[in-house]
Amino acid sequence: MAGDWTIPQQWERYSAAEHAMWDKLFARQAAMLPERVVPEFMSGLDMLRMTRPGIPDFDELSERLTKATGWQVVAVPGLVPDRTFFEHLANRRFVAGRFIRTPEQMDYLQEPDIFHDVFGHVPLLAHPVFADYMQAYGEGGLRADGLGAIERLSRLYWYTVEFGLIRNEGGLRLYGAGIVSSHAESVFALDAPSPNRLGFDLKRVMRTPYRIDDYQQSYFVVESFEDLLRQTIETDFAPLYAEMAAEADIPIEAVLDTDLVFTRGTQAHARSGES
């Protein structure tokens, strides 16, 4: 492992069964996403030629991605330290695990695998505005590290990059990687009556905890990638961190009077204890 936690992907070592698992996961998501996901995601799949069978080779994928937006994909052994993660994003490198889930883990695994990391995240890195947002987030993460505010900023990543929704002329659409790489949550996030779907507000999001072990109880809806990027680069986060240090977290299921409410959820799923 290199000092920046990167490792060779060793694409040639993937077995036929591992390539088949990627193809099975890909086919399942590709069949359901076109009417649910933001169009830029599907465009990224095509532009990067991710529709070809088999696990993508990071070198080939990075060559196409670099031409589009200056990003590349690098392999890591698993989760990396926060500062290392931010440094990679700030330098337009997306870190991805190289292992793929087993058939027994097809519908759920706790640690993100190559399908989540590459299928879920990489297509939108071919979109110039979202690519700029990811770099800006990495730069913001380095500043947050120095201010002791990583936990606050991690909530922004969670509710946008991982579990974000967006509003366009067709209604609400998916874009977060944690949703688009999950067959069940791709349905739950848009169709289930249980979760709240609320308008995105930067400070509101950073005051809201999140679930790592189940579907989200609240999703936040951005107006556009342009607006998300604008808010991120025009906001002075340091005063926000200082304000939030004296404020309590907002309960994960709460709907505030000041929220823009697309859906006031029943929270039935969370109360049922199902997962």
Side-chain angles (χ1 to χ4, degrees):
M1 185 175 67
D4 62 1
W5 286 70
T6 58
I7 57 175
Q9 184 191 12
Q10 297 179 320
W11 182 88
E12 67 282 355
R13 294 193 178 185
Y14 289 116
S15 67
E18 288 172 322
H19 285 296
M21 173 55 67
W22 172 279
D23 291 343
K24 186 174 183 179
L25 291 164
F26 189 101
R28 185 170 69 165
Q29 290 307 100
M32 72 175 304
L33 284 178
E35 300 304 316
R36 294 176 172 274
V37 76
V38 67
E40 291 86 344
F41 179 89
M42 300 304 295
S43 297
L45 285 179
D46 290 337
M47 179 188 301
L48 299 174
R49 302 179 194 169
M50 290 177 63
T51 53
R52 296 192 310 182
I55 296 170
D57 182 316
F58 288 2
D59 289 339
E60 294 180 2
L61 185 59
S62 292
E63 183 178 357
R64 293 188 285 272
L65 188 57
T66 299
K67 289 179 180 177
T69 58
W71 278 79
Q72 58 181 306
V73 182
V74 294
V76 291
L79 298 176
V80 303
D82 290 330
R83 189 165 187 86
T84 301
F85 178 69
F86 296 140
E87 286 173 346
H88 280 296
L89 293 185
N91 289 282
R92 295 199 172 226
R93 296 186 299 265
F94 187 78
V95 296
R98 65 182 180 182
F99 80 97
I100 191 161
R101 68 194 72 181
T102 66
E104 294 74 25
Q105 298 169 316
M106 184 164 178
D107 291 314
Y108 178 76
L109 73 167
Q110 187 168 2
E111 184 178 356
D113 71 339
I114 192 172
F115 187 76
H116 166 85
D117 285 343
V118 175
F119 179 89
H121 284 282
V122 173
L124 280 180
L125 291 175
H127 184 265
V129 177
F130 194 80
D132 287 349
Y133 170 68
M134 289 288 280
Q135 180 181 17
Y137 181 87
E139 293 168 345
L142 293 173
R143 292 190 291 271
D145 186 32
L147 296 169
I150 286 179
E151 182 182 1
R152 294 291 186 186
L153 194 66
S154 71
R155 296 172 177 179
L156 176 61
Y157 190 89
W158 189 266
Y159 282 120
T160 59
V161 178
E162 292 290 357
F163 290 94
L165 303 181
I166 193 168
R167 177 166 63 168
N168 64 17
E169 65 276 3
L172 300 188
R173 292 289 182 266
L174 314 172
Y175 75 90
I179 310 176
V180 301
S181 61
S182 166
H183 187 265
E185 195 147 4
S186 293
V187 175
F188 181 87
L190 289 184
D191 297 350
S194 185
N196 301 318
R197 300 173 183 91
L198 308 172
F200 175 84
D201 176 87
L202 197 60
K203 184 178 178 183
R204 165 74 161 96
V205 164
M206 291 193 292
R207 290 183 61 198
T208 307
Y210 54 80
R211 301 286 305 263
I212 63 171
D213 60 345
D214 204 347
Y215 301 141
Q216 300 307 300
Q217 292 178 246
S218 295
Y219 297 93
F220 291 93
V221 182
V222 301
E223 291 296 319
S224 66
F225 293 143
E226 288 79 6
D227 185 61
L228 179 61
L229 174 62
R230 180 190 60 76
Q231 291 194 52
T232 303
I233 62 178
E234 292 183 2
T235 298
D236 185 352
F237 280 71
L240 280 184
Y241 296 146
E243 290 174 16
M244 288 186 287
E247 298 172 336
D249 282 345
I250 298 169
I252 193 170
E253 76 284 356
V255 177
L256 307 181
D257 291 340
T258 52
D259 285 332
L260 171 62
V261 180
F262 294 94
T263 305
R264 185 182 293 268
T266 65
Q267 299 299 318
H269 177 84
R271 286 199 295 268
S272 74
E274 297 177 358
S275 60

